[in-house]
Amino acid sequence: MGKRLGDLRQLFTPALLGALAIYASYRLLAYASYVTNFGLEPSPLGYVSNPPFMVGAAVGNLISCALVFVLYAGGRLHSYGLGFRSPLVLVAAIYLIVAFVPHEIVRETVAMSFLGVLWGLMVTVVGFVALELLVGTASSIVLIVQLALSALLFTMGSFVLGLLPPTIAAALCAALALALVPAMQRGRAAVRVNSVPRVVGGLPTLRATLRECSTPILAVAVFELVTGLVNMYAFTSHSSFTIATQAPLEGSLICAVLLTAFVVFATRIPHSRFMYLAVFPGVIAVFLALPYFGDTWGRSLSTIIYTAYTFTAMLSTFCVVRACRRAGDCLYGVAAILSASMRLCLMVGLALGWWFGSLTEGGTFVHLSIVCSVCVYVLGAVVLLWGYRNSRQKPVVEVVEVVVEKEPESFEQFHAGRVEELVERYDLSPRERDVLVGLAQGNTAASIAEGLHLSTSTAQGYIKSLYVKLGVNRKQQVIDLFQK
């Protein structure tokens, strides 16, 4: 246990710790500004705060995503080229107005829908910049720990803000927005040193990225739809769908603790198929149980729902960042698709929830909501299982390619089955797979670097991250893995 923690600490450089803190701060700012409408509505219910604000936020988010995607597709948006200073300064200005001007005056002079549009335009851009800082993370284990710890920090910050008077909380959010300006600038300078070479972007590269992360994007989008439905229904009808106000934060906290503990004890990341075949179907039962047990267990069930939802969102973000790094792709294109998909599905879910909550024909709304949930989840499960089947077929294609291209009696050909088994078990990247084969043959870091056309220091970095994933600390232990 102590050794594993020591290995993780060695992997977390100051640049990676800084990226973690910046991403957690962004999530805190985005969550606080959305659910409280920049502090004008300090007591929200889950995702539902002020419907005009939410509609405006959706419009602003989609506009930002469309603009970023068009620039990316046209090859005019380079990595680390998206601006963030003006959006953060504007966020700080709005918070300062809310902090020092009576809320009644602000509500009279500023339409909440317009304020929501500003939120969507600004926070979406800042979110892309914050997430891009994580692309410089080479180790998959470090990346998942970064996401989990950011959820932990953001949750703790949200709880603290909820205990403060609204004026003080708004002033602190303004200070946080201003502090993120120099922090993001330094974070960019730090991560660009260790980042892999990037292409400018474009649709051919995007297709390669989406092949690896389209299924997780679909999963989290479907979760957004049904979560929005349940929240709006609870907000509109005040009946058996009892959603705990703190459920999103409690779910994030539980997910962060469980995921961090898993990584520390297992020294590996959860496999994506675990989400496809366990988490996703399991939460179907939770959602379908809500109409029948909402009065008694609604608050507890809502926390379970948000825990599973947070895990799905975190794993989807992990897959997106890792796919961009593996493809050498600019993050902005796939991030725009992810953000727009989630926002569209959330709005569809909110609209359905409002409609179901407005029905007055006895228990009809319960049956309709059940039918809606079943249809959505059946569709989602079919596509997810299709993605799972395709992912299972990939290793077969790779082995066939190796058989054709490699010498019949080569080490890699002889141990092809064992190599693919280790790659699958420990979720190794293509480059880590090559390094694994080199170490298993007893090669040194210098010879591996020469064979892969890398610098020796880069090869040593891959070896270090590979040791962490495999749970070993020397080359002989890697060789022993092939004898088991």
Side-chain angles (χ1 to χ4, degrees), residues 209-250:
T209 306
L210 284 176
R211 277 197 294 267
E212 186 171 344
C213 60
S214 57
T215 303
I217 290 176
L218 173 65
V220 73
V222 173
F223 262 104
E224 283 280 357
L225 189 154
V226 184
T227 304
L229 186 156
V230 173
N231 270 278
M232 180 58 83
Y233 178 82
F235 182 78
T236 305
S237 65
H238 301 288
S239 60
S240 60
F241 287 94
T242 306
I243 305 296
T245 303
Q246 295 295 326
L249 296 179
E250 293 170 351

Side-chain angles (χ1 to χ4, degrees), residues 217-453:
I217 290 176
L218 173 65
V220 73
V222 173
F223 262 104
E224 283 280 357
L225 189 154
V226 184
T227 304
L229 186 156
V230 173
N231 270 278
M232 180 58 83
Y233 178 82
F235 182 78
T236 305
S237 65
H238 301 288
S239 60
S240 60
F241 287 94
T242 306
I243 305 296
T245 303
Q246 295 295 326
L249 296 179
E250 293 170 351
S252 296
L253 181 63
I254 294 171
C255 178
V257 172
L258 292 179
L259 189 55
T260 304
F262 175 86
V263 172
V264 170
F265 282 102
T267 321
R268 57 181 298 185
I269 61 173
H271 201 283
S272 56
R273 287 200 298 274
F274 174 67
M275 178 183 72
Y276 303 161
L277 300 180
V279 174
F280 197 84
V283 178
I284 296 176
V286 177
F287 271 111
L288 296 183
L290 270 174
Y292 303 102
F293 302 103
D295 287 329
T296 305
W297 298 343
R299 299 180 67 85
S300 301
L301 286 174
S302 64
T303 299
I304 295 173
I305 289 171
Y306 274 103
T307 302
Y309 165 77
T310 302
F311 176 79
T312 306
M314 190 178 299
L315 189 56
S316 299
T317 303
F318 168 82
C319 291
V320 164
V321 174
R322 187 178 60 174
C324 289
R325 183 172 181 86
R326 287 181 171 182
D329 189 15
C330 176
L331 175 80
Y332 300 139
V334 69
I337 292 175
L338 172 64
S339 181
S341 300
M342 293 174 64
R343 187 63 54 178
L344 283 172
C345 287
L346 174 62
M347 296 311 295
V348 170
L350 291 171
L352 290 173
W354 174 82
W355 183 58
F356 290 142
S358 302
L359 294 176
T360 57
E361 295 86 354
T364 304
F365 62 85
V366 174
H367 302 296
L368 288 174
S369 60
I370 291 175
V371 170
C372 175
S373 297
V374 170
C375 291
V376 169
Y377 272 111
V378 167
L379 174 62
V382 168
V383 179
L384 288 173
L385 289 173
W386 173 78
Y388 165 71
R389 184 192 64 184
N390 288 346
S391 69
R392 290 290 293 172
Q393 292 175 350
K394 285 181 182 179
V396 177
V397 175
E398 290 174 359
V399 171
V400 171
E401 290 176 351
V402 170
V403 171
V404 173
E405 296 176 2
K406 299 293 182 180
E407 291 295 329
E409 298 300 327
S410 69
F411 176 88
E412 186 172 356
Q413 169 60 27
F414 185 76
H415 293 281
R418 184 57 175 165
V419 170
E420 298 306 328
E421 179 185 350
L422 294 174
V423 168
E424 183 75 13
R425 180 187 302 175
Y426 296 103
D427 191 37
L428 304 181
S429 68
R431 185 61 78 190
E432 289 169 337
R433 177 187 184 279
D434 296 336
V435 173
L436 171 68
V437 173
L439 289 175
Q441 297 177 80
N443 296 334
T444 64
S447 60
I448 291 174
E450 182 180 356
L452 298 178
H453 306 290

